[in-house]
Amino acid sequence: MTSTGEIRFSHASADPTRGSDDEMPGSDREMPSSSDELRISETFVSRQGEGKLTGVESYFVRTSGCNLRCWFCDTPYASWKPEGDRQSVASIVDQIRQSGVQHVVLTGGEPMLPSAIEAICRQLREAEIHITIETAGTIDRELPCDLMSISPKLSASTPAPADHPRWAQLHQQRRMPIGVMRRLIERADDFQVKFVIDSAAEYDECLSVIDELGVRPADVWIMPQGVTAEAMDAAALWLKPWSDERGFQYCDRMQIRWYGNRRGT
Ligand SMILES: C[S@@+](CC[C@H](N)C(=O)[O-])C[C@H]1O[C@@H](n2cnc3c(N)ncnc32)[C@H](O)[C@@H]1O
Ligand SMILES: Nc1nc2[nH]cc(C(=O)O)c2c(=O)[nH]1
Ligand code: SF4
Ligand SMILES: [Mg+2]
């Protein structure tokens, strides 16, 4: 942790923010990460459903484990109750290469947590495969990335303190390191910033984060919180006009429309 409270991992370091899935974040229940393997909850080929590459066939690699605990997380099997076995960097990259798919989406959980993500990105870059990283933007790593897709977590994402006292506190402390996000944006070849909005009460905070990040409206994507087409239809009525008025991109999460909220899609 730096003096500003930001987290920066050097190559092959262990992950001090790594928490377990229960109410004892930081416990040693999980093995420390290594630079040549990481825990994977699922891999699959699908179409990118969010942001500027929507529609592009992509090989998804979902790491397991997260340093945050959004109450609405749509992949609890990679955050609240992380599942999956450890796999080597070599086997993951081999499978991607054998698939012939030219775009990879590294997501999670939090894909910037395991140090092995750096080797994956270096090897994919060598193979000239396009890399998107879907991240909450709380962890600073230097790695090759074509599209850094940052989804900053607003305060309404915090889990209920009454139900999850330790995670509520940690989530609140970790969720918005603006300096880390700025550096990720500066280093990446391209970037987008995607906000999940659950209610109009989050508008002011969203606008002030955009201001602090210094990004243009064209780089901002507004996504409704929700995991069904019905929830997205209902949210679009109030959220899309607000987004359009400010010149933001509106992001209907298309995978939900195409496939429903199903794992592996
Ligand atoms: C599961 S997260 C994994 C990557 C990273 N941890 C993050 O949050 O950006 C993938 C994307 O799904 C979004 N997301 C998760 N749950 C959601 C929900 N209930 N409604 C809308 N978007 C959601 C996240 O904000 C992020 O953009
Ligand atoms: N099709 C599809 N597109 C996605 N874009 C970002 C995803 C994610 O979970 O990070 C995702 C996902 O899970 N599926
Ligand atoms: S940061 Fe991403 S993976 Fe972690 S809990 Fe929030 S939405 Fe889920
Ligand atoms: Mg998803």
Side-chain angles (χ1 to χ4, degrees):
M1 182 105 46
T2 66
S3 55
T4 56
E6 293 171 356
I7 295 157
R8 178 145 205 284
F9 293 139
S10 59
H11 178 60
S13 66
D15 298 331
T17 60
R18 202 169 171 149
S20 72
D21 49 328
D22 56 19
E23 274 302 309
M24 291 172 22
S27 77
D28 278 332
R29 250 180 42 173
E30 288 185 82
M31 294 286 287
S33 70
S34 82
S35 58
D36 58 5
E37 57 174 33
L38 70 175
R39 198 171 178 197
I40 300 295
S41 67
E42 58 183 355
T43 62
F44 54 93
V45 175
S46 184
R47 282 182 283 171
Q48 171 59 272
E50 303 173 14
K52 62 172 75 177
L53 293 181
T54 294
V56 175
E57 183 188 54
S58 304
Y59 193 108
F60 287 78
V61 177
R62 191 179 304 285
T63 63
S64 197
C66 188
N67 60 331
L68 301 180
R69 288 295 186 277
C70 305
W71 67 266
F72 54 66
C73 183
D74 66 357
T75 52
Y77 53 91
S79 57
W80 287 96
K81 293 209 176 297
E83 296 173 10
D85 296 329
R86 300 181 74 77
Q87 295 186 25
S88 71
V89 168
S91 72
I92 293 164
V93 173
D94 273 358
Q95 285 164 44
I96 293 168
R97 292 182 71 137
Q98 277 169 29
S99 76
V101 178
Q102 288 303 303
H103 282 71
V104 165
V105 179
L106 302 174
T107 185
E110 178 46 68
M112 297 288 273
L113 257 186
S115 56
I117 205 73
E118 297 182 15
I120 291 183
C121 290
R122 283 196 301 270
Q123 292 184 29
L124 292 176
R125 174 59 61 89
E126 219 159 89
E128 297 184 6
I129 292 171
H130 185 284
I131 307 162
T132 296
I133 301 184
E134 302 283 357
T135 176
T138 61
I139 294 166
D140 194 6
R141 287 187 186 279
E142 272 190 61
L143 34 67
C145 176
D146 296 286
L147 176 60
M148 188 59 77
S149 177
I150 303 179
S151 183
K153 293 301 176 290
L154 300 175
S155 89
S157 64
T158 306
D163 299 335
H164 307 283
R166 285 289 293 142
W167 273 116
Q169 189 186 26
L170 281 169
H171 183 96
Q172 193 61 17
Q173 279 167 8
R174 292 171 174 173
R175 68 184 171 77
M176 197 62 76
I178 293 288
V180 170
M181 293 180 196
R182 281 211 195 111
R183 285 196 290 281
L184 293 173
I185 287 170
E186 273 163 25
R187 275 194 220 111
D189 295 359
D190 194 9
F191 74 96
Q192 62 191 7
V193 184
K194 302 189 302 183
F195 291 92
V196 176
I197 305 276
D198 188 50
S199 86
E202 292 161 80
Y203 287 165
D204 286 350
E205 185 188 355
C206 180
L207 294 176
S208 81
V209 173
I210 291 165
D211 197 42
E212 283 185 82
L213 290 174
V215 296
R216 299 167 308 158
D219 297 317
V220 173
W221 296 74
I222 301 296
M223 306 198 294
Q225 193 286 117
V227 294
T228 62
E230 293 70 29
M232 293 198 302
D233 288 343
L237 298 175
W238 51 272
L239 188 54
K240 191 169 184 303
W242 177 83
S243 172
D244 289 349
E245 274 163 31
R246 282 154 190 82
F248 302 146
Q249 319 284 326
Y250 192 72
C251 183
D252 231 11
R253 300 199 304 145
M254 288 306 294
Q255 67 272 29
I256 292 173
R257 302 225 181 253
W258 293 329
Y259 313 113
N261 183 35
R262 287 196 296 117
R263 223 165 139 153
T265 60

